[in-house]
Amino acid sequence: MSLENAKANLEEFGKELNLEGLAFDENYTCILGIDNTFSLHLTFEPNSNRLYLYSPILDGLPKDVKIKLNLYEALLEGSMLGGQMAGGGCGVAVKEELILMHCVLEMGIGTDASALRRFAPLFVEAVEKWRDRVQKILEGRDEGPQLTAPTTKPPSQQGGSGGIGGAVPGGGGGHLPGDFMKI
């Protein structure tokens, strides 16, 4: 049932984006390009019944230790309780020199087929803000937290039956269907 919920969410999301036939690959992953700038990865994990959303915030860690410390402090502060990361957090793959922002949507029984469609624009907006802030940190132009928290909670924290439901006020995010493309 959970895989069916994840597929229904992806299908609904694809319709919203005018990307008919959007589907998971053999690894239960779908990758979308956002404004030809970065990628949004959607991966369903059958063992946990969760849909993971993740995107790169930075590819290539700074060599300067002070800048790296400032970067890590900003990311830790921003990810505290998911406050500035759409309810999710971030992780660092040191060997790969990669920082990912991530979030999880439950796909268990009672999952609304519109959860991904409603939440993805909020997540993408948060990723864009963090990519901008990280660039400012790397350039030494960061003036501290200028980010605002999402105007709504992620679907997994909204009310309604099954734990996911309710409309996202204002539709969230500033992205239109044409901003997304299948990679």
Side-chain angles (χ1 to χ4, degrees):
M1 182 64 170
S2 298
L3 177 57
E4 290 79 17
N5 287 341
K7 287 179 178 179
N9 264 271
L10 189 60
E11 183 179 334
E12 184 78 18
F13 187 45
K15 288 178 187 175
E16 176 77 12
L17 303 175
N18 296 320
L19 294 173
E20 296 295 325
L22 202 56
F24 293 113
D25 65 15
E26 65 278 359
N27 297 313
Y28 302 114
T29 297
C30 179
I31 303 171
L32 299 171
I34 310 298
D35 297 333
N36 291 322
T37 307
F38 64 95
S39 56
L40 169 62
H41 300 246
L42 306 166
T43 299
F44 176 70
E45 171 48 53
N47 294 325
S48 65
N49 298 325
R50 292 179 169 169
L51 181 63
Y52 292 89
L53 289 78
Y54 51 100
S55 289
I57 299 296
L58 180 64
D59 188 1
L61 296 175
K63 304 300 181 215
D64 183 286
V65 176
K66 184 178 178 190
I67 292 174
K68 190 182 297 187
L69 177 62
N70 289 340
L71 174 63
Y72 288 171
E73 284 180 349
L75 291 168
L76 284 170
E77 182 179 23
S79 65
M80 185 179 292
L81 301 176
Q84 296 175 5
M85 295 196 174
C90 66
V92 179
V94 177
K95 286 183 182 178
E96 293 80 9
E97 296 195 21
L98 182 66
I99 298 175
L100 292 179
M101 189 169 132
H102 56 82
C103 203
V104 176
L105 295 178
E106 297 293 335
M107 290 288 124
I109 296 172
T111 298
D112 179 0
S114 298
L116 177 60
R117 177 183 56 79
R118 287 192 318 269
F119 181 68
L122 295 172
F123 181 77
V124 169
E125 182 180 4
V127 168
E128 290 174 328
K129 287 179 180 180
W130 273 104
R131 288 176 60 88
D132 287 346
R133 176 139 188 235
V134 164
Q135 192 58 44
K136 288 178 183 175
I137 291 169
L138 297 177
E139 295 169 358
R141 300 184 297 119
D142 185 57
E143 298 175 11
Q146 303 294 317
L147 303 170
T148 56
T151 56
T152 63
K153 295 178 184 176
S156 61
Q157 296 175 8
Q158 293 177 6
S161 62
I164 299 176
V168 174
H175 284 277
L176 301 172
D179 295 341
F180 297 83
M181 67 179 163
K182 175 85 169 104
I183 295 181

